[in-house]
mmCIF file with all atom_site columns, all heavy atoms in Angstrom:
data_model
loop_
_atom_site.group_PDB
_atom_site.id
_atom_site.type_symbol
_atom_site.label_atom_id
_atom_site.label_alt_id
_atom_site.label_comp_id
_atom_site.label_asym_id
_atom_site.label_entity_id
_atom_site.label_seq_id
_atom_site.pdbx_PDB_ins_code
_atom_site.Cartn_x
_atom_site.Cartn_y
_atom_site.Cartn_z
_atom_site.occupancy
_atom_site.B_iso_or_equiv
_atom_site.pdbx_formal_charge
_atom_site.auth_seq_id
_atom_site.auth_comp_id
_atom_site.auth_asym_id
_atom_site.auth_atom_id
_atom_site.pdbx_PDB_model_num
ATOM 1  N N   . GLU P 1 165 ? -10.567 13.418 -1.135 1.00 0.00 ? 188 GLU P N   1
ATOM 2  C CA  . GLU P 1 165 ? -11.037 14.808 -1.207 1.00 0.00 ? 188 GLU P CA  1
ATOM 3  C C   . GLU P 1 165 ? -9.928  15.833 -1.374 1.00 0.00 ? 188 GLU P C   1
ATOM 4  O O   . GLU P 1 165 ? -10.077 16.825 -2.059 1.00 0.00 ? 188 GLU P O   1
ATOM 5  C CB  . GLU P 1 165 ? -11.865 15.134 0.035  1.00 0.00 ? 188 GLU P CB  1
ATOM 6  C CG  . GLU P 1 165 ? -13.229 14.474 0.009  1.00 0.00 ? 188 GLU P CG  1
ATOM 7  C CD  . GLU P 1 165 ? -14.140 15.077 1.043  1.00 0.00 ? 188 GLU P CD  1
ATOM 8  O OE1 . GLU P 1 165 ? -13.907 14.830 2.246  1.00 0.00 ? 188 GLU P OE1 1
ATOM 9  O OE2 . GLU P 1 165 ? -15.062 15.810 0.660  1.00 0.00 ? 188 GLU P OE2 1
ATOM 10 N N   . GLY P 1 166 ? -8.823  15.606 -0.695 1.00 0.00 ? 189 GLY P N   1
ATOM 11 C CA  . GLY P 1 166 ? -7.711  16.553 -0.807 1.00 0.00 ? 189 GLY P CA  1
ATOM 12 C C   . GLY P 1 166 ? -6.751  16.150 -1.910 1.00 0.00 ? 189 GLY P C   1
ATOM 13 O O   . GLY P 1 166 ? -6.999  15.207 -2.659 1.00 0.00 ? 189 GLY P O   1
ATOM 14 N N   . ILE P 1 167 ? -5.642  16.891 -2.010 1.00 0.00 ? 190 ILE P N   1
ATOM 15 C CA  . ILE P 1 167 ? -4.595  16.560 -2.963 1.00 0.00 ? 190 ILE P CA  1
ATOM 16 C C   . ILE P 1 167 ? -3.390  16.047 -2.175 1.00 0.00 ? 190 ILE P C   1
ATOM 17 O O   . ILE P 1 167 ? -2.910  16.715 -1.245 1.00 0.00 ? 190 ILE P O   1
ATOM 18 C CB  . ILE P 1 167 ? -4.245  17.797 -3.825 1.00 0.00 ? 190 ILE P CB  1
ATOM 19 C CG1 . ILE P 1 167 ? -5.422  18.059 -4.768 1.00 0.00 ? 190 ILE P CG1 1
ATOM 20 C CG2 . ILE P 1 167 ? -2.957  17.573 -4.596 1.00 0.00 ? 190 ILE P CG2 1
ATOM 21 C CD1 . ILE P 1 167 ? -5.334  19.367 -5.496 1.00 0.00 ? 190 ILE P CD1 1
ATOM 22 N N   . TRP P 1 168 ? -2.950  14.845 -2.552 1.00 0.00 ? 191 TRP P N   1
ATOM 23 C CA  . TRP P 1 168 ? -1.928  14.131 -1.792 1.00 0.00 ? 191 TRP P CA  1
ATOM 24 C C   . TRP P 1 168 ? -0.730  13.828 -2.670 1.00 0.00 ? 191 TRP P C   1
ATOM 25 O O   . TRP P 1 168 ? -0.870  13.678 -3.888 1.00 0.00 ? 191 TRP P O   1
ATOM 26 C CB  . TRP P 1 168 ? -2.507  12.793 -1.273 1.00 0.00 ? 191 TRP P CB  1
ATOM 27 C CG  . TRP P 1 168 ? -3.722  12.952 -0.393 1.00 0.00 ? 191 TRP P CG  1
ATOM 28 C CD1 . TRP P 1 168 ? -4.992  13.308 -0.799 1.00 0.00 ? 191 TRP P CD1 1
ATOM 29 C CD2 . TRP P 1 168 ? -3.787  12.811 1.029  1.00 0.00 ? 191 TRP P CD2 1
ATOM 30 N NE1 . TRP P 1 168 ? -5.825  13.371 0.287  1.00 0.00 ? 191 TRP P NE1 1
ATOM 31 C CE2 . TRP P 1 168 ? -5.124  13.059 1.405  1.00 0.00 ? 191 TRP P CE2 1
ATOM 32 C CE3 . TRP P 1 168 ? -2.838  12.471 2.001  1.00 0.00 ? 191 TRP P CE3 1
ATOM 33 C CZ2 . TRP P 1 168 ? -5.531  13.006 2.738  1.00 0.00 ? 191 TRP P CZ2 1
ATOM 34 C CZ3 . TRP P 1 168 ? -3.256  12.400 3.328  1.00 0.00 ? 191 TRP P CZ3 1
ATOM 35 C CH2 . TRP P 1 168 ? -4.585  12.676 3.687  1.00 0.00 ? 191 TRP P CH2 1
ATOM 36 N N   . ALA P 1 169 ? 0.442   13.702 -2.038 1.00 0.00 ? 192 ALA P N   1
ATOM 37 C CA  . ALA P 1 169 ? 1.647   13.272 -2.762 1.00 0.00 ? 192 ALA P CA  1
ATOM 38 C C   . ALA P 1 169 ? 1.987   11.852 -2.311 1.00 0.00 ? 192 ALA P C   1
ATOM 39 O O   . ALA P 1 169 ? 1.848   11.520 -1.135 1.00 0.00 ? 192 ALA P O   1
ATOM 40 C CB  . ALA P 1 169 ? 2.804   14.214 -2.467 1.00 0.00 ? 192 ALA P CB  1
ATOM 41 N N   . LEU P 1 170 ? 2.411   11.047 -3.279 1.00 0.00 ? 193 LEU P N   1
ATOM 42 C CA  . LEU P 1 170 ? 2.915   9.701  -2.919 1.00 0.00 ? 193 LEU P CA  1
ATOM 43 C C   . LEU P 1 170 ? 4.272   9.898  -2.263 1.00 0.00 ? 193 LEU P C   1
ATOM 44 O O   . LEU P 1 170 ? 5.114   10.625 -2.779 1.00 0.00 ? 193 LEU P O   1
ATOM 45 C CB  . LEU P 1 170 ? 3.098   8.836  -4.163 1.00 0.00 ? 193 LEU P CB  1
ATOM 46 C CG  . LEU P 1 170 ? 1.900   8.301  -4.928 1.00 0.00 ? 193 LEU P CG  1
ATOM 47 C CD1 . LEU P 1 170 ? 2.371   7.249  -5.937 1.00 0.00 ? 193 LEU P CD1 1
ATOM 48 C CD2 . LEU P 1 170 ? 0.860   7.696  -3.994 1.00 0.00 ? 193 LEU P CD2 1
#
Side-chain angles (χ1 to χ4, degrees):
E188 286 195 289
I190 289 169
W191 302 73
L193 289 191

